[in-house]
């Protein structure tokens, strides 16, 4: 419906769109006709009103009777200048809480609607002008009570949500602290395991060192024959050197005597020396053999 066709239906400040088979309200075009403060949309085929309908704040009187409206916009209370509202013969079960803020509403008709029992009782019969005016007052007050209750419930819900959020945060803090404690315990456990491993390692090393010392001590223990096993050192080799030098000197003396006695074999002294040298040679050979065997043992 164009703006020009709407102007044709405008008489003074009253715009009559009744019996127009409307299924939608031409909100945009109506908003342009600020002069039309009284709007008649009765006897059409309207089932809902758009949210933008509440932008028609210049309206003072609205007739929506004899349609099939099942609900009104939740922001219907923005029609702050509205004084007269006819909703007779629709399919409304309730009205929006925002009606509580229609301070200028003086007349309201909700007959012939399947209203919920509580609201139906508040509305009353609305059989005459006086009852319709009383209906407007009662419905506004009722909706204000509902609004206060909704606000209370909403506030209660917010408080419960805050408590739940605080409990959730507290639980998260506990869980975080628990995880931190578990990590500390695990770290302490690993530290103790490491210390135990290090102690075991040191004990094994000490055991090996003690075993080596025992083996070294066993090497220096006194043998059953009463002789102590010599330690492999430079002093052993010094004794052997002196013994070898003594042996060499003795052999040199024996060789000199031998050549002396070779020139005079009948000399009695040479005969005795010759016999003594033979005995000495036998003992020297015996000692040399023993010395060689002992040296071989030391070298091992």
């Amino acid at each position: 419906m164009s703006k020009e066709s709407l102007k044709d239906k405008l008489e003074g400040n009253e715009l009559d769109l009744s019996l127009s088979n409307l299924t939608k309200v031409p909100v945009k075009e109506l908003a342009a006709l600020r002069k039309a403060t009284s709007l008649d949309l009765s006897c059409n085929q309207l089932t809902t009103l758009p949210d933008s309908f509440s932008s028609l704040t210049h309206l003072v009187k609205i007739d929506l009777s004899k349609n099939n409206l099942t609900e009104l916009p939740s922001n219907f209370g923005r029609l702050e200048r509205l004084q007269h509202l006819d909703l007779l013969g629709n399919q409304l079960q309730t009205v929006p809480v925002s009606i509580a803020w229609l301070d200028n509403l003086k007349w309201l008709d909700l007959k012939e609607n399947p209203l919920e029992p509580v609201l139906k009782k508040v509305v009353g019969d609305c059989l005459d002008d006086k009852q319709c005016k009383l209906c407007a007052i009662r419905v506004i007050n009722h909706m204000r009570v509902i609004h206060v209750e909704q606000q209370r419930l909403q506030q209660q819900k917010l408080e419960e949500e805050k408590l739940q959020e605080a409990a959730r945060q507290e639980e998260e803090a506990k869980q975080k602290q628990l995880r931190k404690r578990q990590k500390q315990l695990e770290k302490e456990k690993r530290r103790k395991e490491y210390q135990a491993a290090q102690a075991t390692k040191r004990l094994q090393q000490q055991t090996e060192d003690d075993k080596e010392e025992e083996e070294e001590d066993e090497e220096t223990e006194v043998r059953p024959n009463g002789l102590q096993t010599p330690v492999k050192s430079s002093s052993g080799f010094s004794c052997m050197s002196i013994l070898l030098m003594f042996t060499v000197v003795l052999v040199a003396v024996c060789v000199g005597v031998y050549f002396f006695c070779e020139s005079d074999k009948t000399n009695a002294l040479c005969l005795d020396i010759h016999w003594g040298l033979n005995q000495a040679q036998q003992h020297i050979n015996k000692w040399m053999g023993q010395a060689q065997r002992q040296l071989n043992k030391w070298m091992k």
Side-chain angles (χ1 to χ4, degrees), residues 67-82:
N67 279 280
N68 292 304
L69 295 172
T70 58
E71 62 180 357
L72 298 178
S74 60
N75 60 353
F76 197 83
R78 291 178 58 187
L79 299 172
E80 54 188 19
R81 296 181 182 178
L82 188 62

Side-chain angles (χ1 to χ4, degrees), residues 44-59:
N44 280 289
Q45 300 178 21
L46 302 175
T47 57
T48 59
L49 298 177
D51 290 340
S52 58
F53 186 84
S54 60
S55 65
L56 303 176
T57 56
H58 61 283
L59 294 176

Side-chain angles (χ1 to χ4, degrees), residues 37-39 59-64 76 81-87 104-109 129 132-133 136:
T37 59
S38 177
L39 176 63
L59 294 176
V60 175
K61 180 179 179 180
I62 301 175
D63 188 352
L64 287 165
F76 197 83
R81 296 181 182 178
L82 188 62
Q83 299 179 16
H84 185 108
L85 178 60
D86 193 346
L87 294 170
N104 293 313
L105 188 64
K106 307 300 181 183
W107 195 97
L108 176 62
D109 190 355
D129 190 67
C132 288
K133 289 180 179 180

Side-chain angles (χ1 to χ4, degrees), residues 161-219:
E161 289 177 352
K162 288 181 180 179
L163 291 175
Q164 292 176 356
E165 179 65 18
R168 185 186 65 80
Q169 292 179 356
E170 183 179 358
E171 182 63 22
E172 287 183 354
K174 289 181 179 179
Q175 293 296 327
K176 184 178 180 181
Q177 188 66 24
L178 180 60
R179 289 192 296 269
K180 183 178 179 180
R181 178 60 179 167
Q182 289 177 345
K183 289 182 179 180
Q184 290 176 346
L185 291 175
E186 290 175 358
K187 184 177 180 180
E188 182 67 17
K189 181 181 178 182
R190 291 194 299 268
R191 185 182 66 81
K192 290 182 178 180
E193 289 177 350
Y194 174 78
Q195 291 178 346
Q198 292 296 314
T200 302
K201 185 176 180 181
R202 288 194 296 270
L203 181 59
Q204 291 176 349
Q205 184 65 37
Q206 184 64 36
T207 303
E208 292 177 359
D209 294 342
D210 293 343
K211 186 176 180 181
E212 291 179 0
E213 290 180 0
E214 289 177 359
E215 291 176 352
E216 291 178 359
D217 291 341
E218 288 177 356
E219 291 180 359

Side-chain angles (χ1 to χ4, degrees), residues 245-259 277 284:
M245 291 176 63
F246 175 76
T247 304
V248 171
V249 172
L250 183 59
V251 171
V253 172
C254 292
V255 171
V257 173
Y258 173 77
F259 283 108
L277 289 174
I284 289 171

Side-chain angles (χ1 to χ4, degrees), residues 32 41 52 65 97 99 107-108 121 140 143 148 183-184 204 206 213 238 240 254 289:
L41 291 169
S52 58
S65 62
V97 178
I99 282 183
W107 195 97
L108 176 62
K121 185 177 179 179
I140 289 175
M143 289 303 162
V148 171
K183 289 182 179 180
Q184 290 176 346
Q204 291 176 349
Q206 184 64 36
E213 290 180 0
S238 299
M240 286 300 299
C254 292

